[in-house]
């Protein structure tokens, strides 16, 4: 009996001190890798300050968005930022703290002369969108189809590369305005993009969220961490 009690105690102790895995993407200006490969940005700073102040043991990894999103969906000891809190995702995660509000729009190359006034019109075009991003899921819910009018990319960096090197292969891109502005500020030759219309009227804010099966003790730590951080703002 003593032997099994000790084994159980070790298992419970390990569970209690298990390191929290935090996944994110390279998504300027909220969070991104700088020239020295350090994760910077307002959202990254907020997350680190909250977790550090609570003494939580954690690691952050930067991945393609689809990989980060699916890791957070799958692994109980995992959290993710910055993720849009959309109605479709509401029951898939535990939502802890709002980090930012971004404005996502349809853009086209100025040379293409495209105009849009509604989503239905956009269905006739080839649209570059980030895989498993809020925009991807939202457009699917509105009847858009992958490989027909939605062209999926693993990162916004890859979308920008397509705009600059193979723009004839796409007609529209769906990107947050803040990401466009950040990219423009770091380019010698400005992207010749024209804002057409918002993706929708009520855009979901960006959050720090965790797998819905996160252990209760970690939920309590995180709730306390972000509550304490927000009370100091």
């Amino acid at each position: 009996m003593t032997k099994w009690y000790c084994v159980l105690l070790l298992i419970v102790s390990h569970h209690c001190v298990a390191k929290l895995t935090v996944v994110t993407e390279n998504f300027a200006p909220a969070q991104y890798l700088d020239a020295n490969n350090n994760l910077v940005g307002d959202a990254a700073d907020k997350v680190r300050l909250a977790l550090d102040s609570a003494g939580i043991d954690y690691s952050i990894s930067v991945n393609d968005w689809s990989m980060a999103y699916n890791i957070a969906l799958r692994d109980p000891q995992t959290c993710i930022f910055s993720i849009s809190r959309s109605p479709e995702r509401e029951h898939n995660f535990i939502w802890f703290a709002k980090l930012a509000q971004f404005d996502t729009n349809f853009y086209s190359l100025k040379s293409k002369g495209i105009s849009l006034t509604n989503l239905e019109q956009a269905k006739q075009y080839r649209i570059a969108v980030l895989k498993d991003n809020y925009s991807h899921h939202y457009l699917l819910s509105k009847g858009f189809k992958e490989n027909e009018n939605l062209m999926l990319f693993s990162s916004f960096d890859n979308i920008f590369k397509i705009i600059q090197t193979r723009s004839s292969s796409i007609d529209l891109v769906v990107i947050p305005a803040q990401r466009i502005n950040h990219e423009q500020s770091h380019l010698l030759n400005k992207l010749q993009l024209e804002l057409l219309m918002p993706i929708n009227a009520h855009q979901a804010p960006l959050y720090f969220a965790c797998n819905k099966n996160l252990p209760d003790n970690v939920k309590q730590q995180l709730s306390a961490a972000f509550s304490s951080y927000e009370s100091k703002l």
Side-chain angles (χ1 to χ4, degrees):
M1 179 66 71
T2 303
K3 176 182 177 182
W4 286 112
Y5 175 79
C6 291
V7 170
L8 180 61
L9 184 62
L10 284 171
I11 292 172
V12 171
S13 298
H14 175 74
H15 176 73
C16 290
V17 299
K19 179 180 285 190
L20 182 71
T21 298
V22 180
V23 293
T24 189
E25 65 166 333
N26 204 29
F27 178 48
Q31 72 270 342
Y32 61 100
L33 295 172
D34 66 11
N36 297 315
N37 214 37
N38 295 316
L39 185 63
V40 297
D42 288 346
D45 290 344
K46 289 177 184 177
V47 168
R48 277 195 294 250
L49 283 170
L51 300 186
D52 289 344
S53 66
I56 294 173
D57 188 18
Y58 68 96
S59 63
I60 298 179
S61 64
V62 180
N63 309 276
D64 288 341
W65 176 252
S66 183
M67 179 183 292
Y69 179 76
N70 284 290
I71 289 172
L73 274 178
R74 182 189 68 216
D75 297 345
Q77 196 76 14
T78 303
C79 300
I80 185 170
F81 74 98
S82 302
I83 180 171
S84 295
R85 187 174 183 173
S86 63
E88 297 82 6
R89 291 173 172 170
E90 184 65 30
H91 300 294
N92 293 334
F93 296 94
I94 303 167
W95 305 90
F96 285 97
K98 180 179 175 179
L99 300 176
Q101 181 76 52
F102 274 28
D103 307 307
T104 302
N105 304 305
F106 284 99
Y107 294 86
S108 72
L109 285 171
K110 292 179 180 179
S111 61
K112 291 186 179 274
I114 296 172
S115 63
L116 290 181
T117 57
N118 58 62
L119 280 180
E120 284 301 311
Q121 292 175 348
K123 289 180 180 178
Q124 65 185 294
Y125 298 110
R126 298 164 298 173
I127 307 165
V129 66
L130 183 64
K131 183 179 180 182
D132 284 326
N133 177 266
Y134 160 71
S135 305
H136 174 203
H137 294 165
Y138 175 77
L139 292 174
L140 285 176
S141 75
K142 297 301 180 182
F144 288 74
K145 299 184 184 301
E146 294 174 3
N147 300 319
E148 184 175 311
N149 42 32
L150 294 183
M151 311 293 120
L152 304 186
F153 291 83
S154 62
S155 70
F156 283 120
D157 288 340
N158 286 339
I159 292 177
F160 285 119
K161 287 177 185 175
I162 281 288
I163 292 170
Q164 294 173 299
T165 62
R166 292 171 51 205
S167 60
S168 61
S169 64
I170 57 170
D171 300 309
L172 305 174
V173 296
V174 178
I175 301 178
Q178 293 84 348
R179 183 69 175 88
I180 290 279
N181 294 338
H182 178 86
E183 193 72 17
Q184 296 277 40
S185 70
H186 289 75
L187 290 175
L188 292 176
N189 298 314
K190 301 300 182 184
L191 297 167
Q192 297 301 306
L193 292 176
E194 182 175 7
L195 192 160
L196 300 181
M197 60 175 275
I199 188 172
N200 62 7
H202 305 288
Q203 299 194 21
L206 301 179
Y207 266 71
F208 180 92
C210 298
N211 183 280
K212 62 182 181 180
N213 295 314
L214 191 73
D216 287 341
N217 64 309
V218 184
K219 288 182 198 175
Q220 294 168 4
Q221 280 185 295
L222 288 172
S223 293
F226 282 104
S227 293
S228 175
Y229 172 78
E230 290 172 358
S231 68
K232 297 173 183 176
L233 296 180

